Amino acid sequence: MKTATPTMARAINDRLALDLLLERGPLTAPQLRTLTGLSRPTVSDLIERLRADGLIEATGETGEDRRGPNARLYGLVAGRAHVAGVDLRRDAVHVAVADIAGNQAGAATRPLPPEPDLVEQVAGAVAEAAGGLVLHTVVLGAPGLVHPRTGLSTCGGLPGARPDLLHALRDRLGVRVVMENEVNLAAIAEHRDGAAAGRDDFALLWLDDGVGAAIVLDGRLRRGASGGAGEVGLLRFQGTDFCRLLEPGGIRGLGGDRIAGRIVEGVFALVAVLDPGLVVLGGTTGREGGDHLAALVAERLAGLSPAPTEVCATAVEGDAILRGAVLTALDLTRDSVFMQSRPKALA
């Protein structure tokens, strides 16, 4: 077994401290010692290193009666880097910008014309939301298949779609751009902040202007060989595409029982193949149906599948796709920025 070199040990300790500051906010040196279990000299050294690297700064003191280094609070330099999350819909593009601590720093929404230049529309919305801030990473969520290796996409029937959208946006924006299927991003938000928090296995069934699913197994998002994992909207039941059975116009005016009867067809397919233990109903239909619709689906599913499966409504507040895009961009940016100041031997 190889032991950690001093350089590697310092990098591990630094990242541990940075993650604690992300999770808990500003902390004193004694608090960092308690939470990390590191010695006083080790914590003092890492604080000086991280301050010199411009990653943390003194933000104040704790306790009016105490003064000195032990009372000083240290927090992340939130403005060290900024990210953007993009939710590209068939009728609009939504953008949220955040600093490296996750604080919102800007937002923009632009309706799309009938035949849009998607590169210009997305780039314009990102620039508007950033308001002059330099972005480190942009994560874009869009409908359709996104190939996990090439980045080529089908864009799921978006007006103005082009398979090389990712590469064109990278050229246009001049920063790191990552493209992901929008339901996959919603699942990341559900796993981090929503109904699937703490679960290693679940499926998200997205019920909106498009129908699809995202799959998380053993705590990892599964995309498939070509990005097509979870495309349950293509399934056919009684000669009709599953997505057509559940599109907003097709279920308008139907009671909860009939909607649940349609939803359970796709849920059963997911459960029969994957046995995820939990299915989250997302999108507009899942959110509006809430616990009542989820209970109706669970009741019908219990009569079809021997595998015990919980069914619940999404618990992510606001735009789950946009939230997942921002979270993904933050993860990528933190890994990059927090490592940039580390010695080259660790690169």
Side-chain angles (χ1 to χ4, degrees):
M1 178 183 295
K2 293 184 179 180
T3 58
T5 64
T7 299
M8 184 179 296
R10 286 193 294 271
I12 293 171
N13 292 339
D14 289 356
R15 185 59 191 265
L16 177 59
L18 290 167
D19 286 343
L20 283 169
L21 293 172
L22 279 170
E23 178 185 352
R24 295 172 178 257
L27 297 168
T28 63
Q31 288 172 330
L32 283 170
R33 291 200 300 270
T34 299
L35 292 168
T36 62
L38 299 173
S39 67
R40 181 188 295 266
T42 299
V43 169
S44 296
D45 288 345
L46 76 81
I47 286 175
E48 291 309 309
R49 256 195 323 274
L50 295 177
R51 290 184 71 182
D53 291 339
L55 294 174
I56 68 171
E57 60 186 354
T59 61
E61 293 187 347
T62 179
E64 295 182 358
D65 299 331
R66 301 184 62 191
R67 294 292 182 269
N70 283 340
R72 193 168 296 140
L73 285 165
Y74 297 97
L76 289 173
V77 179
R80 175 64 185 268
H82 290 84
V83 305
V86 181
D87 177 12
L88 182 56
R89 304 283 82 212
R90 293 181 175 87
D91 59 352
V93 54
H94 309 280
V95 182
V97 172
D99 63 31
I100 201 168
N103 306 306
Q104 184 164 315
T109 292
R110 287 191 173 188
L112 292 179
E115 297 182 6
D117 181 332
L118 288 184
V119 174
E120 290 301 317
Q121 291 292 332
V122 171
V126 168
E128 180 183 343
L133 294 171
V134 177
L135 299 176
H136 183 282
T137 300
V138 176
V139 172
L140 169 73
L145 277 63
V146 180
H147 198 288
R149 288 184 296 278
T150 68
L152 296 177
S153 59
T154 64
C155 289
L158 282 172
R162 48 188 292 183
D164 65 339
L165 179 61
L166 170 62
H167 306 290
L169 280 171
R170 285 174 176 169
D171 292 341
R172 178 68 172 78
L173 294 172
V175 300
R176 183 183 192 181
V177 181
V178 175
M179 189 172 178
E180 180 63 270
N181 170 267
E182 92 275 40
V183 184
N184 286 345
L185 291 177
I188 289 171
E190 206 71 59
H191 197 203
R192 192 80 62 88
D193 298 335
R199 304 290 288 260
D200 287 335
D201 305 293
F202 76 98
L204 170 66
L205 181 59
W206 188 256
L207 305 165
D208 213 287
D209 61 344
V211 174
I215 301 159
V216 173
L217 298 175
D218 298 323
R220 294 179 56 196
L221 181 68
R222 305 294 176 165
R223 297 175 175 85
S226 59
E231 289 293 330
V232 295
L234 303 176
L235 295 174
R236 295 179 67 82
F237 300 104
Q238 298 180 354
T240 303
D241 291 345
F242 186 52
C243 61
R244 292 193 177 278
L245 288 174
L246 287 166
E247 60 188 9
I251 62 173
R252 189 175 295 116
L254 296 183
D257 285 341
R258 293 185 63 187
I259 295 174
R262 295 185 179 190
I263 291 173
V264 77
E265 300 281 2
V267 171
F268 176 55
L270 289 169
V271 171
V273 175
L274 301 172
D275 186 20
L278 169 66
V279 176
V280 180
L281 305 182
T284 300
T285 300
R287 184 183 302 280
E288 292 180 351
D291 294 340
H292 177 66
L293 179 61
L296 290 174
V297 174
E299 180 182 355
R300 283 158 179 75
L301 180 64
L304 296 172
S305 173
T309 306
E310 181 183 353
V311 181
C312 64
T314 177
V316 177
E317 296 184 4
D319 186 332
I321 298 168
L322 199 56
R323 176 63 177 159
V326 170
L327 287 171
T328 301
L330 284 171
D331 287 346
L332 295 170
T333 298
R334 288 165 182 167
D335 285 345
S336 175
V337 171
F338 291 169
M339 289 298 292
Q340 281 176 359
S341 60
R342 304 279 61 82
K344 292 184 179 179
L346 289 176

